[in-house]
């Protein structure tokens, strides 16, 4: 109740502060779901932040479609891309998986900075973001942040959650007990990609400007690691 009512009595600074807390909380939850419960230590979660941000920018600035459609598409495009890279990336393990995800993110930064469709390295000013008040963006962040906690809480108390933790502790033993390793990893990877993509879109809705090397920069994942 306190968080829901905050925009009606809090200062602009307080609204901005809690807005960022909710969004970073969501990013931290998704990294922890991968690294903490699945054992997939990724340095490439900025992949989905960048894709979510660019999905929002393209949908709103090039096609002038609703902002909320951009948020959802940010998650969907992230899932599709995660599905594409999952086959080669899951053949790596340990530090190789960690570095592999980082390389994909760096590759995307280079690709987007040389892609005319997204204005090369110049980036987008997401002026559509100015059509929303800070209160609306705050409530989007609140839903994303609290939603990520509820989602992880539900996953960890399901069969999938037990499989994730068993796999993290001992993959061989988990497989003998009937855990489908690839399917379990993929499910977790796709869930994390979807929520991180939506969170990335929400972040760039707040920032209102996106540029390739910032969107796909490792600073995002470093922040997630330190939070966790």
């Amino acid at each position: 109740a306190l968080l829901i009512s905050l925009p009606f009595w809090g200062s602009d600074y307080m609204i901005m502060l809690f807005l960022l807390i909710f969004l970073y909380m969501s990013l931290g939850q998704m990294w922890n779901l991968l690294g903490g419960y699945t054992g997939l230590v990724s340095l490439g979660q900025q992949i989905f932040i960048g894709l979510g941000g660019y999905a929002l920018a393209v949908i709103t600035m090039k096609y002038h479609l609703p902002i909320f459609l951009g948020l959802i598409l940010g998650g969907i495009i992230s899932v599709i891309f995660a599905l594409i890279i999952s086959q080669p990336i899951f053949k790596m393990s340990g530090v190789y998986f960690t570095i592999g995800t980082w390389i994909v993110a760096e590759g995307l930064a280079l690709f987007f900075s040389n892609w005319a469709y997204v204005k090369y390295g110049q980036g987008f000013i997401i002026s559509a973001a100015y059509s929303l008040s800070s209160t609306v963006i705050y409530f989007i962040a609140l839903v994303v942040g609290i939603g990520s906690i509820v989602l992880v809480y539900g996953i960890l108390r399901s069969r999938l959650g037990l499989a994730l933790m068993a796999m993290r502790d001992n993959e061989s033993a988990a497989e003998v007990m009937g855990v489908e390793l690839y399917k379990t990893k993929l499910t977790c990877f796709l869930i994390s990609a979807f929520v991180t993509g939506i969170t990335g879109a929400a972040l760039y809705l707040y920032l209102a400007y996106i540029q390739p090397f910032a969107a796909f920069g490792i600073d995002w994942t470093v922040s997630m690691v330190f939070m966790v």
Side-chain angles (χ1 to χ4, degrees), residues 14-15 25 29 46 48 50 60 98 104 113 115 124 131 135-136 144 148 167 169 186 204 208 218:
M14 191 177 289
I15 292 170
M25 187 165 66
Q29 287 285 353
Q46 63 270 27
F48 310 118
T60 57
T98 302
V104 173
S113 65
W115 191 13
F124 278 96
S131 66
T135 299
V136 173
V144 170
S148 69
M167 185 177 69
D169 294 337
L186 180 61
Y204 278 102
I218 196 171

Side-chain angles (χ1 to χ4, degrees), residues 110-146:
L110 287 170
F111 177 75
F112 273 71
S113 65
N114 289 281
W115 191 13
Y117 183 72
V118 294
K119 300 184 179 181
Y120 301 108
Q122 175 186 344
F124 278 96
I125 295 174
I126 310 173
S127 56
Y130 297 113
S131 66
L132 297 182
S133 67
S134 59
T135 299
V136 173
I137 300 175
Y138 170 87
F139 281 118
I140 292 171
L142 176 64
V143 169
V144 170
I146 301 301

